Amino acid sequence: MIELDVPAGGGRTLHVYDTAPEQSGRLPVMWHHGTPNVGAPPEPLFTAAAELGLRWVSFDRPGYGGSSVAPGRTIASVAADAATVADALGIDRFAVAGYSGGGSYALGCAAVLGGRVQAVLGLAAIAPYGAAGLDWFAGMIPSGVAALRAAVEGREARAALQASDFIYDCEFTEADLALFEGPWGWLGKVGKPALAAGPYGQIDDDVSYTLPWGCDPGTVDAPVLLLHGTGDRIIPAGHGSWLAAHCPTAELRLCEGDSHFTIVTHAERGLEWLRRQI
């Protein structure tokens, strides 16, 4: 895998990853990472991707890792960053995949970039804030509610919470802890360095989830597969159900008992689905 920095609008830089730059015959899949993570593509899926002829490309969202902070960024503005990355790598059309908030960013890419996006795989994606017919906070763990309610109040309020003695408690289950002992312990690997550039990657992610997306998932033309665990309390399954109901091309697979973390055990099958679409 190579890493490089790509110039973006407003004098910003995006830190980019590419697993197969010399193998242009592989079909590119752009990975959208979760919160708070850096953008390195998912190592536990490298073998499956290679067998399927896929090439991972990705980038740190603004404020994470090596990418410049972009106050006020939205789902749509990050889609524009994705286009910048694809252009810099000489990629015209590509699929997208994302986990957690990254699933929402993947959907946003398809909504903004239209025919450039061939298919979308989203795991545990979050629905737009204020979505009609969705109790957005229902079923969330208390610390998640606290973080996102602060984000609703704005960037300064979310930053103030971050600077306080607030601790985000994921309320890991025994199954989650067992997952982290295996290959998906990689989630910790990309989580620990996520805030090395400062706290605003996570802060701006949370704020972006509560801002208007700047695009409509209902306009996505590409095939979409949404995977969501019924036991998810970080982003409850109602979010996946709402997105599937409002995205005409979406298929929803609810995975009984899976949490926000154990949903990744279904990612390889999702990747196989993605390959069949492209």
Side-chain angles (χ1 to χ4, degrees):
M1 181 171 69
I2 66 164
E3 300 182 31
L4 65 155
D5 292 324
V6 169
R12 296 182 297 116
T13 296
L14 297 169
H15 189 69
V16 174
Y17 307 80
D18 187 349
T19 62
E22 304 303 324
Q23 295 175 293
S24 58
R26 289 195 182 184
L27 297 169
V29 179
M30 184 173 289
W31 173 254
H32 291 268
H33 63 84
T35 303
N37 292 167
V38 290
E43 288 180 12
L45 297 176
F46 278 10
T47 298
E51 291 173 351
L52 293 167
L54 301 176
R55 166 189 178 186
W56 288 112
V57 297
S58 59
F59 62 99
D60 298 332
R61 275 196 299 278
Y64 285 117
S67 292
S68 309
V69 176
R73 62 175 168 85
T74 64
I75 298 284
S77 72
V78 172
D81 286 342
T84 297
V85 169
D87 290 345
L89 297 176
I91 295 169
D92 181 19
R93 302 185 72 213
F94 51 96
V96 291
Y99 166 60
S100 190
S104 306
Y105 280 103
L107 274 172
C109 262
V112 172
L113 303 184
R116 291 192 73 174
V117 173
Q118 297 168 284
V120 182
L121 172 64
L123 294 88
I126 190 167
Y129 178 71
L134 174 65
D135 185 345
W136 205 72
F137 292 105
M140 278 189 192
I141 57 173
S143 56
V145 172
L148 290 169
R149 286 201 184 278
V152 170
E153 296 177 19
R155 193 174 193 247
E156 290 186 6
R158 181 63 184 85
L161 180 68
Q162 192 83 359
S164 72
D165 58 0
F166 172 74
I167 296 175
Y168 191 100
D169 181 3
C170 293
E171 301 187 14
F172 294 127
T173 67
E174 289 185 10
D176 294 335
L177 296 175
L179 174 81
F180 301 145
E181 292 298 318
W184 283 102
W186 171 83
L187 289 170
K189 178 179 177 180
V190 292
K192 290 178 181 177
L195 302 178
Y200 281 100
Q202 183 174 17
I203 290 167
D204 289 336
D205 263 1
D206 280 357
V207 173
S208 76
Y209 303 140
T210 68
L211 292 173
W213 281 21
C215 57
D216 181 359
T219 65
V220 174
D221 292 326
V224 176
L225 176 62
L226 300 172
L227 303 176
H228 220 118
T230 62
D232 193 334
R233 296 189 61 226
I234 306 290
I235 301 175
H239 287 252
S241 297
W242 189 96
L243 287 166
H246 291 80
C247 182
T249 60
E251 172 191 349
L252 173 65
R253 296 182 190 173
L254 289 174
C255 301
E256 187 63 33
D258 277 297
S259 73
H260 191 71
F261 302 99
T262 61
I263 191 65
V264 298
T265 61
H266 302 276
E268 190 167 324
R269 282 187 291 167
L271 203 61
E272 292 168 356
W273 172 91
L274 196 72
R275 179 62 181 88
R276 290 195 296 271
Q277 313 311 307
I278 55 178

